[in-house]
Amino acid sequence: MDLTLSPDELRFRDDLRSWLESSGLEEWRREMAGKKTLEERFAHSRAWQKRVFEGGWAGVAWPKEYGGRGATLLQQAIFLEEMARAQAPPLANVIGIGLVGPTIIACGTEAQKKRYLPGILSGDEIWCQGFSEPGAGSDLAAVNTQARLDADHFVINGHKVWTSFGWVADWNAMLVRTDNQAPKHKGLTYILVDMKSPGVKVRPLRQMTGESEFTEIFFEDVRVPAENVLGKVNGGWNVAISTLMHERNTLGASLHVNFARQFRQLVERGRSLQRNGRPAVEDPLVRQKLGQCYAEMEIFRLTQMRALTKVNESGVPGPEGSILKMFWSEYNQRFQQVASELLGPYAQLTEECAEAPDAGQWAYGFLRARGNTIEAGTSEIQRNIVAQFVLGLPKSY
Ligand SMILES: Cc1cc2nc3c(=O)[nH]c(=O)nc-3n(C[C@H](O)[C@H](O)[C@H](O)COP(=O)(O)OP(=O)(O)OC[C@H]3O[C@@H](n4cnc5c(N)ncnc54)[C@H](O)[C@@H]3O)c2cc1C
């Protein structure tokens, strides 16, 4: 594993840094900090994504003919790191860019690539991922939303749940059941559904953070053109696996930069906070815990680099992404717990409160981290994947 950047990669990074400097980033950042609601923040991210797209930086590793930059996966990782380091607003189309786009590139027809990819990169069409159902989460093959072929359309009936961005999405990348007789993995189809179709009803779900990032979606006789199937009818399982692998690899891509920033912030807080008449960072227990967090953060960063080197060689994300997903999500929960212990009651103050440290990020972070070990597949499922596909152990029953 070579950790030094090649001349090409250095040039790429420097071009990006110059573009960021000329893009009025400071102003974008300041405006984002003033946005109070999820909806306002989303609208700002969408405008920022447009700017990034127009600057030619969206879809760094996507083919040029579909609006991407045609760069390498390592350059894409550099892009994500630099954006995180500069604290740029996030791109709005998280699911479109990270999950659906790469799946369309891998499994879509030429017509589908031309139709959907540019809108994903510009942010003109926002995507969500309709996989989970009340009876199908970890056991994704149990999906039971029905799609029946009627001439050249599928008619969809069913219920999806925990759909992030469902409240704002224009399109939904869905897994549906097209054959009830076949073994359960073999009766599924991956289909792209226009969320404005008659019969689609979206209901927000409130999380413990107070936000409604995700939704449940009801489908009643929703007609979807058969040409919207991605891959083959009844061949949706393999297409879905492609999405999940991208999900596990991209979700954590620039996290180590954010983790490092939060860690430094916490250490600074610990210097000024008093515990037993001394700065909290002099407390032996606090030091033990911060030292442990730092070591874990480094392990995560290096493991990610190793995974990236492998993906760069093979071109596709593999089951090793599960190691990363499991590690960062559990680390974040441990780190938020340490922050909470160090800050004491202050850690519970939310952003509306003037005394809340760092604009309430610790209260929010603690609550939001609980979902990390569930979203994109629970820790138990990641361990099963590592056991079966990385270690070669027998399949779980
Ligand atoms: C913040 C957030 C965002 C999400 N966004 C989306 C989204 O955009 N689109 C989407 O489709 N879904 C989304 N989800 C749903 C998520 O993918 C599911 O919640 C997750 O896959 C778990 O499924 P479940 O909730 O049905 O739990 P279950 O599958 O019912 O699991 C319950 C418990 O049993 C354990 N378990 C289940 N099977 C096994 C097994 N074989 N071995 C060991 N333990 C097992 C699980 O680990 C878990 O602890 C999101 C979830 C969250 C929290």
Side-chain angles (χ1 to χ4, degrees):
M1 180 173 57
D2 181 5
L3 299 182
T4 51
L5 297 184
S6 69
D8 266 1
E9 285 155 7
L10 281 171
R11 202 169 315 116
F12 174 89
R13 188 198 66 187
D14 293 343
D15 286 352
L16 175 58
R17 284 185 179 172
S18 326
W19 181 79
L20 279 169
E21 262 171 40
S22 66
S23 65
L25 181 61
E26 189 55 44
E27 182 71 14
W28 284 92
R29 233 178 0 224
R30 210 177 20 252
E31 280 184 22
M32 186 58 133
K35 306 288 178 200
K36 294 293 171 220
T37 64
L38 187 65
E39 290 78 5
E40 285 173 351
R41 285 197 291 274
F42 182 82
H44 194 60
S45 288
R46 196 168 190 170
W48 169 246
Q49 179 169 339
K50 193 81 166 183
R51 168 70 67 93
V52 172
F53 174 69
E54 285 163 359
W57 292 99
V60 169
W62 290 22
K64 283 188 180 158
E65 61 264 42
Y66 309 121
R69 208 177 175 87
T72 64
L73 287 171
L74 272 172
Q75 286 169 326
Q76 176 167 287
I78 294 170
F79 168 82
L80 292 169
E81 276 197 26
E82 288 297 317
M83 294 299 247
R85 205 161 271 133
Q87 295 188 52
L91 302 189
N93 211 356
V94 177
I95 307 265
I97 291 186
L99 280 59
V100 182
T103 309
I104 294 178
I105 291 171
C107 309
T109 61
E110 195 50 33
Q112 287 171 331
K113 291 178 195 174
K114 289 210 169 88
R115 163 65 189 83
Y116 298 112
L117 296 177
I120 291 177
L121 288 185
S122 65
D124 287 333
E125 291 182 333
I126 300 297
W127 284 75
C128 64
Q129 174 198 17
F131 282 15
S132 304
E133 297 180 4
S138 303
D139 184 10
L140 191 57
V143 154
N144 194 35
T145 290
Q146 300 287 319
R148 175 179 51 80
L149 191 60
D150 177 22
D152 54 358
H153 280 67
F154 279 96
V155 181
I156 300 185
N157 281 283
H159 177 191
K160 295 287 176 182
V161 73
W162 317 126
T163 320
S164 305
F165 299 98
W167 51 278
V168 75
D170 303 288
W171 285 89
N172 190 340
M174 278 178 69
L175 202 54
V176 292
R177 184 155 301 281
T178 35
D179 187 341
N180 289 301
Q181 310 308 323
K184 58 182 189 173
H185 292 79
K186 298 198 170 145
L188 296 170
T189 297
Y190 197 117
I191 193 163
L192 312 177
V193 178
D194 184 344
M195 290 286 281
K196 288 176 227 57
S197 312
V200 176
K201 198 154 48 165
V202 181
R203 213 160 62 185
L205 286 169
R206 202 169 144 96
Q207 299 151 248
M208 64 164 108
T209 55
E211 294 175 322
S212 294
E213 273 180 276
F214 47 40
T215 53
E216 55 185 334
I217 310 182
F218 300 88
F219 299 83
E220 203 181 316
D221 290 331
V222 177
R223 295 184 67 82
V224 182
E227 67 195 30
N228 288 18
V229 168
L230 194 64
K232 291 197 172 73
V233 174
N234 295 327
W237 182 250
N238 288 338
V239 186
I241 295 298
S242 164
T243 299
L244 292 178
M245 290 209 180
H246 282 290
E247 185 172 31
R248 282 155 202 167
N249 272 269
T250 53
L251 258 184
S254 56
L255 274 180
H256 69 88
V257 179
N258 295 330
F259 285 160
R261 183 172 41 250
Q262 284 199 0
F263 181 82
R264 285 194 301 273
Q265 262 178 319
L266 185 63
V267 170
E268 282 316 306
R269 289 267 155 212
R271 287 187 207 283
S272 53
L273 251 172
Q274 294 288 307
R275 175 168 294 190
N276 301 326
R278 291 194 316 199
V281 286
E282 290 181 18
D283 181 295
L285 277 178
V286 169
R287 295 164 71 84
Q288 288 292 311
K289 290 185 179 180
L290 288 176
Q292 178 70 27
C293 284
Y294 184 77
E296 291 184 20
M297 215 167 55
E298 278 300 282
I299 292 169
F300 173 58
R301 187 174 69 83
L302 295 171
T303 308
Q304 188 160 49
M305 282 184 164
R306 199 173 48 208
L308 197 67
T309 313
K310 200 159 174 196
V311 177
N312 207 43
E313 281 161 8
S314 67
V316 283
E320 298 80 7
S322 289
I323 301 175
L324 288 171
K325 162 67 204 351
M326 188 177 17
F327 196 85
W328 74 252
S329 54
E330 296 187 355
Y331 163 78
N332 194 32
Q333 290 179 353
R334 286 192 292 274
F335 172 71
Q336 297 296 338
Q337 175 69 31
V338 170
S340 194
E341 289 168 15
L342 196 156
L343 297 171
Y346 284 100
Q348 294 171 33
L349 300 179
T350 52
E351 66 171 332
E352 307 81 52
C353 184
E355 287 81 21
D358 302 310
Q361 78 165 42
W362 303 104
Y364 177 83
F366 185 86
L367 296 174
R368 183 60 184 82
R370 305 318 299 172
N372 291 162
T373 49
I374 304 174
E375 59 196 314
T378 66
S379 284
E380 290 76 21
I381 293 307
Q382 309 303 339
R383 290 192 182 93
N384 275 341
I385 293 171
V386 172
Q388 189 179 342
F389 297 104
V390 180
L391 300 178
L393 301 183
K395 194 173 178 319
S396 79
Y397 49 88

